[in-house]
Amino acid sequence: MLQIGDAITIEYVNENKEVKTAKSKVLENNNDDICINYPADKETGRTIYLNQETEITVFFFDENQIPYKCTSKVIGKRKEDIPMIVVSIPPKAEMIRLQRREYLRVDTMVKATITKNGEETFDTFIVNMSAGGVAIAVPEGVSLKEYGEVVTEFELSLKEPVKIKAIAEMNRVYQDEQTGKTRAIMEFTEITNDHQQHIMKYCFQQQLLTRVKKV
């Protein structure tokens, strides 16, 4: 399920008994184990040195962009041109498939460009976002069909701006009772692992900002 080049997220407990997350990439796949580059802490970007036998949880997306997690541990290190950590990987039957509803979803206001039918383009705003898909405001005069595919492009304001491009399917087009405006809910069908992880990071940041404002 894991392929060379796949981005992964690692969750582990540090020496202070704190749960931390780091990002890494698969460099080799040997079926029962994988070799990854030294992880970087998601908050600080600093390299993480995991000791042998450290228990970790690995989060990743398969070739169909379905999220999974599995329990693993560090079983060794390799010193070659690129220093690597060797991580055990359980059989597919022991991996846990995550439901898309488990994605963190936040209200937002992000400019987006939507292309339908391969050529017709319109600008709008994303009003709700998760790593599984987005909800957009449908401008007047624009007609969208449920279950039609579109290309969506937008930029996320992270530490460094990140441009996202994905193919999505229209799951629902409806009238918002509170605003009277037309909304469309789209689910990503083709999106890179890196882009999906950038969206996750953005959603977590927005959630934290919302909590701060409420205090």
Side-chain angles (χ1 to χ4, degrees):
M1 295 178 70
L2 279 162
Q3 306 295 324
I4 294 174
D6 282 355
I8 63 173
T9 297
I10 294 171
E11 189 175 83
Y12 66 100
V13 178
N14 68 8
E15 62 275 9
N16 297 321
K17 306 301 181 182
E18 300 171 322
V19 178
K20 293 288 186 178
T21 57
K23 58 183 180 180
S24 185
K25 184 172 290 188
V26 178
L27 301 179
E28 288 186 17
N29 187 342
N30 304 309
N31 295 322
D32 293 334
D33 62 66
I34 58 173
C35 294
I36 63 175
N37 58 0
Y38 277 73
D41 185 275
K42 276 199 166 186
E43 294 181 359
T44 66
R46 294 177 180 174
T47 300
I48 302 299
Y49 299 94
L50 298 173
N51 295 324
Q52 192 158 330
E53 298 300 316
T54 299
E55 293 186 354
I56 60 176
T57 301
V58 177
F59 296 85
F60 64 96
F61 296 91
D62 72 0
E63 64 275 10
N64 297 313
Q65 302 304 318
I66 295 172
Y68 280 85
K69 73 174 181 179
C70 64
T71 301
S72 180
K73 67 179 179 180
V74 177
I75 59 175
K77 297 178 182 179
R78 284 174 54 182
K79 295 181 179 180
E80 298 184 3
D81 293 338
I82 301 175
M84 296 183 287
I85 294 176
V86 185
V87 175
S88 65
I89 290 296
K92 181 178 179 180
E94 295 179 20
M95 295 182 178
I96 300 174
R97 175 173 173 169
L98 303 176
Q99 299 300 316
R100 290 192 180 274
R101 63 174 177 270
E102 294 182 24
Y103 287 131
L104 174 63
R105 180 173 292 277
V106 296
D107 291 330
T108 187
M109 191 61 67
V110 175
K111 289 182 179 181
T113 298
I114 307 297
T115 303
K116 62 175 187 173
N117 303 324
E119 55 184 24
E120 188 178 343
T121 299
F122 64 90
D123 294 325
T124 186
F125 285 92
I126 294 171
V127 296
N128 189 278
M129 180 184 302
S130 81
V134 296
I136 64 169
V138 182
E140 292 185 10
V142 173
S143 176
L144 293 175
K145 294 181 180 180
E146 292 185 358
Y147 307 112
E149 277 196 339
V150 298
V151 176
T152 176
E153 299 174 76
F154 53 93
E155 184 173 285
L156 297 177
S157 300
L158 295 168
K159 187 175 182 180
E160 293 182 2
V162 177
K163 292 185 178 180
I164 305 294
K165 183 176 182 179
I167 296 177
E169 183 178 23
M170 290 290 174
N171 278 356
R172 184 185 173 205
V173 180
Y174 68 100
Q175 204 79 9
D176 189 311
E177 294 181 357
Q178 292 184 339
T179 64
K181 303 292 185 179
T182 302
R183 299 282 187 260
I185 297 176
M186 308 186 302
E187 181 179 355
F188 296 135
T189 55
E190 291 185 32
I191 184 171
T192 67
N193 289 341
D194 284 346
H195 282 183
Q196 207 153 29
Q197 292 198 12
H198 284 310
I199 296 174
M200 286 182 180
K201 183 175 182 179
Y202 175 82
C203 289
F204 279 117
Q205 287 186 355
Q206 293 303 303
Q207 184 187 54
L208 288 174
L209 288 173
T210 300
R211 288 177 178 174
V212 171
K213 290 177 181 178
K214 288 181 179 179
V215 173

